């Protein structure tokens, strides 16, 4: 599985040994809860706003410790303020799923010798098979 936000590759897929793992997806809807004094129970109102949070981890092996150090710094800087459609491309079929209006909420990166590990948390709208 390849994962891209805009033109930036977050997970390069099996071909480059960068498959995402520990993938989790949280779908939430905005709900308003109303209650009244002396009421018997609260009432929920679905406001119809869908929010999807995708979290996944990717490990990347680099040619040297120095290359890994450089990548971890440059990669973090390249993601600042990035907002675009998230594309998840299934290998080998090439089918694509989009997460429109995706924003990277946070990235946690770590370095061990020449391997960088990145945990991405991305928030967007509702998954779709086409760009809305």
């Amino acid at each position: 599985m390849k994962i891209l936000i805009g033109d930036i590759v977050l997970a390069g897929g099996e071909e480059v040994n960068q498959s995402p793992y520990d993938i989790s997806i949280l779908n939430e809807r905005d709900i308003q809860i109303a209650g009244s004094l002396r009421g018997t129970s609260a009432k929920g109102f679905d406001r119809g706003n869908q929010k999807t949070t995708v979290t996944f981890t990717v490990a990347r092996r680099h040619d040297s410790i120095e290359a890994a150090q450089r990548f971890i710094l440059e990669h973090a800087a390249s993601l600042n303020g990035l907002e675009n459609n998230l594309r998840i491309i299934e290998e080998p079929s090439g089918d694509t799923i989009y997460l429109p209006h995706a924003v990277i909420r946070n990235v946690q990166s770590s370095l061990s010798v020449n391997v960088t590990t990145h945990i991405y948390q991305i928030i967007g709208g509702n998954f779709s098979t086409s760009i809305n």
Side-chain angles (χ1 to χ4, degrees), residues 11-33:
E14 291 179 27
E15 189 174 297
V16 293
N17 199 23
Q18 289 180 10
S19 292
Y21 58 95
D22 292 340
I23 301 169
S24 69
I25 298 171
L26 174 63
N27 289 314
E28 297 177 278
R29 298 192 55 88
D30 285 337
I31 305 295
Q32 178 180 344
I33 305 296

Side-chain angles (χ1 to χ4, degrees), residues 35-84:
S36 62
L37 293 174
R38 296 185 193 93
T40 57
S41 64
K43 184 173 182 180
F45 297 95
D46 185 349
R47 294 299 176 201
N49 297 318
Q50 176 71 39
K51 178 174 81 171
T52 303
T53 302
V54 179
T55 305
F56 60 94
T57 304
V58 176
R60 293 179 175 87
R61 183 174 305 279
H62 302 273
D63 293 334
S64 66
I65 295 172
E66 292 80 12
Q69 291 169 339
R70 186 173 45 255
F71 181 83
I72 203 168
L73 295 171
E74 291 174 353
H75 185 62
S78 72
L79 300 176
N80 284 339
L82 188 60
E83 182 177 335
N84 210 320

Side-chain angles (χ1 to χ4, degrees), residues 97-119:
I97 296 175
Y98 298 93
L99 184 63
H101 312 294
V103 177
I104 297 177
R105 181 174 203 166
N106 54 48
V107 179
Q108 180 180 338
S109 299
S110 61
L111 172 67
S112 178
V113 189
N114 67 332
V115 176
T116 58
T117 303
H118 310 271
I119 303 170

